[in-house]
Amino acid sequence: MNISTQTITVGKLLLNLPFLLKNPEKLLTKWSQKSDITIVSYLSSSFYLINNPLIARDLLIKYEENLSKGTFFEIARESIGNGTLLADEPEHGIRLDAIKNVFRSKEIEQYISDFNNLSSQTIQNVIDKESVDIRKISQDFTLQAAMLTLFKSKAETPTNQFQIDFNLETEYLTATRLLTRVIEKIELSDRKSRRPYEIVVKFVVNHMIHLFSYRLRRRAESLHSANMRDFAKDLIYSPSSVSKDETDLLFYLREAQASNKDFWNADAQVDEILTVLLAGHETTANTLAWVIIETTKAGMTPIPVQSIDQIIFETLRLHPPAWILPRQVNSAIMIDGYEIPTGANVLISPYIYHRMDSYFPDPLRFDPSRWDNVQFKDAPAAYLPFGAGGRGCIGQRFALAEMREFLTEFALTGPWQLSGSSPKEEFLLTLRPEGCPTLIKR
Ligand code: HEM
C-alpha cells in the first residue's frame, strides 16, 4: 500500500484548538478525510491520526510490541491506578496473568445464571413503572453484575456510593483533559526547541487549555478517587473474601499475591479491582443506554428478541464506548516504507472508522439488519469496538453475555417513548449519552 499523509501545522492546530477541545470527534473526522494518516505537528512532538482502519488493525495486532499506552493515560492512572488496562509491559503481563481466568468461556457460562437472575430482578422493578431513568437502570445493572459475578458482591460500602464517586470522577476524565495533558507535558527540553516563537506558542496553548479545563480541574481536587480506592480496599480485606471460588477475581488476586508478594501489595490489588470495575461496567452501561435510546427512537419498542445480537452490534458500531485508543510509539514502526517515529503519539479511533461509508453504507443510520447473518468474527475490518490484538478487550464475552441477558428481559417491557430529544454524545474517557433522557410508557 502506498500510504498517503497530510500535515496539520501548529498554526492550524492553534486556530482549531477551541473546536478540538469542544468537539474532538468533529475535528478528527474532518482531518481524517483526505489521507491514510494525518500528522499533527506540535512543537517538537507529533500526533499521528490513523485514518485508515487497516493500518490501525496492523498497529494493534502486528506492531503491538512497538506501542505503549503512554502519556495519554497518565491522568486516568491518577484516578484508577495502573491496572491491566493502563499498564505497559512487563507489568501488563503480570496483571493479565492474574485476572485472565475469570474471563474464560467456562467461567462466563457460570455467570449466565447470575446475569439472568439480576436482569429479571431489575426488570421486575421497572415493569409497571410509567417512567424509567435509562442511565440509572443500565449502570445499576452492569455494576451489580460485575460485583456479583467477579467479586461475589462482597461490598462493604454500598455500591451506590461507589457509583456516585465513580461518575463524578470519570466526568473529570474527559477526552479533552487526556489530550490537553499530553500537550501540557510536551517539554521544550532540547536546545533546538527553545526558539522564542515556540515558547510563545506553548504559553498561548497552555493558557487556552487552562481556560477550557478550569471547571474540570476543580473537580479533580475532590476525594472521589480516594473513596473509590477505599471501596476496593474493603473488598480485599472483607472477611468473606477468603473463600476459594475459581470464578472469583479476589481468589486469583490472593493466589497471585502468594506467589509474588513484592508486586501484589494492597495498592497493586486496588488498582486491578478499580480497573476491572471501570472497564467492566461503564462500557456496558453506556452500550445498554444507547441500545435503549436507539431502539426507542427507531420505534423498535418492545425490543425484538430475535434481533438482540444485531441490535448490540449496531449500537457498538454507532456509539463505541472506547471511541479512541491512544498509544505512544516506543520503537519506530515502518509500514509499507512509511515510518512512524519513536516517541510519536498515535490515535486510533473506532468511532471514526465505524462511520465510514466505504465500510458501512449509509453509516449514520441505525440499522441492525446490516448484521443479519454476520457473526462478530466476520465483521468488516473497520469494526473495532473491542480493540484488537494483545491489548484487545478481555471482557468481550462477558460483556456480550451480560447485555444479551439484560436485553432479553428488557424486551418484556414497553412500549416506550423518549422523554426528550435524542441525547448528544459526550466524549469522556468512554462515549456516554449526555443528559440521558427518560423512558415514558406509551
Ligand atoms: C460493551 C462493552 C465493552 C467494550 C466496548 C470494551 C472495549 C474495550 C476496548 C476497546 C479495549 C482495548 C483498549 C485499548 O486498546 O486501549 C478494552 C480493554 C479491556 N477491557 Fe473491555 N470493553 C467492554 C467490556 C468489558 C468488560 C465487561 C470487562 C470486564 C469485566 C472489560 C475489561 C477490559 C480489560 C481488563 C481491558 C484491558 C485488556 C488489556 O489491556 O490487556 N471490558 N475493552
Side-chain angles (χ1 to χ4, degrees), residues 125-401:
N125 290 335
V126 303
I127 206 153
D128 297 323
K129 294 252 161 64
E130 286 304 307
S131 73
V132 173
D133 179 336
I134 299 175
R135 168 123 185 109
K136 182 153 175 39
I137 190 184
S138 312
Q139 206 188 8
D140 281 354
F141 170 74
T142 59
L143 184 55
Q144 282 175 33
M147 289 299 300
L148 189 62
T149 53
L150 301 173
F151 299 100
K152 311 303 157 201
S153 242
K154 295 185 205 98
E156 297 287 317
T157 324
T159 45
N160 54 5
Q161 183 54 46
F162 176 80
Q163 221 175 87
I164 293 167
D165 288 320
F166 173 83
N167 283 335
L168 289 166
E169 183 67 23
T170 50
E171 269 174 40
Y172 165 66
L173 293 177
T174 58
T176 301
R177 280 294 296 155
L178 302 185
L179 196 65
T180 51
R181 176 58 74 91
V182 178
I183 296 177
E184 283 170 350
K185 278 253 150 196
I186 295 172
E187 294 298 338
L188 298 170
S189 50
D190 55 342
R191 278 189 174 283
K192 238 181 19 203
S193 58
R194 279 202 212 115
R195 282 170 297 195
Y197 93 92
E198 297 203 338
I199 293 173
V200 172
V201 166
K202 191 163 166 75
F203 179 81
V204 173
V205 171
N206 281 356
H207 266 73
M208 285 170 86
I209 287 169
H210 283 249
L211 262 178
F212 277 92
S213 57
Y214 175 74
R215 199 170 55 93
L216 295 163
R217 272 184 296 119
R218 285 298 298 271
R219 276 197 198 141
E221 288 157 17
S222 69
L223 286 174
H224 303 299
S225 173
N227 290 347
M228 283 160 59
R229 292 194 80 79
D230 286 346
F231 176 85
K233 232 181 230 148
D234 282 352
L235 288 176
I236 304 176
Y237 295 124
S238 111
S240 51
S241 80
V242 292
S243 66
K244 181 175 171 168
D245 178 341
E246 295 185 6
T247 59
D248 183 348
L249 192 73
L250 296 171
F251 164 73
Y252 288 102
L253 289 180
R254 267 197 322 278
E255 295 266 286
Q257 192 193 26
S259 59
N260 187 352
K261 279 204 174 53
D262 290 341
F263 180 84
W264 283 110
N265 57 28
D267 266 346
Q269 292 184 57
V270 164
D271 284 3
E272 203 53 44
I273 293 171
L274 288 183
T275 296
V276 170
L277 279 180
L278 165 94
H281 98 276
E282 164 76 2
T283 43
T284 28
N286 294 354
T287 311
L288 288 176
W290 284 115
V291 163
I292 296 173
I293 292 162
E294 288 293 353
T295 50
T296 311
K297 255 169 68 186
M300 296 176 183
T301 171
I303 286 184
V305 193
Q306 70 285 1
S307 308
I308 282 178
D309 270 7
Q310 289 95 317
I311 288 172
I312 293 175
F313 293 171
E314 181 66 347
T315 304
L316 285 170
R317 182 187 72 79
L318 268 183
H319 309 289
W323 68 281
I324 195 154
L325 312 176
R327 294 288 192 275
Q328 204 162 20
V329 176
N330 54 33
S331 66
I333 299 173
M334 186 68 84
I335 308 180
D336 291 335
Y338 181 78
E339 184 184 292
I340 307 182
T342 307
N345 298 293
V346 168
L347 293 177
I348 291 172
S349 173
Y351 180 91
I352 309 271
Y353 313 148
H354 292 183
R355 288 165 182 242
M356 289 181 163
D357 56 8
S358 45
Y359 290 94
F360 303 99
D362 198 359
L364 299 186
R365 209 166 97 98
F366 177 76
D367 178 11
S369 76
R370 67 174 96 225
W371 298 98
D372 284 350
N373 307 315
V374 182
Q375 299 297 311
F376 199 88
K377 63 178 174 35
D378 305 320
Y383 190 60
L384 288 166
F386 293 102
R391 299 306 301 257
C393 181
I394 194 182
Q396 176 176 338
R397 278 186 299 231
F398 183 102
L400 291 173

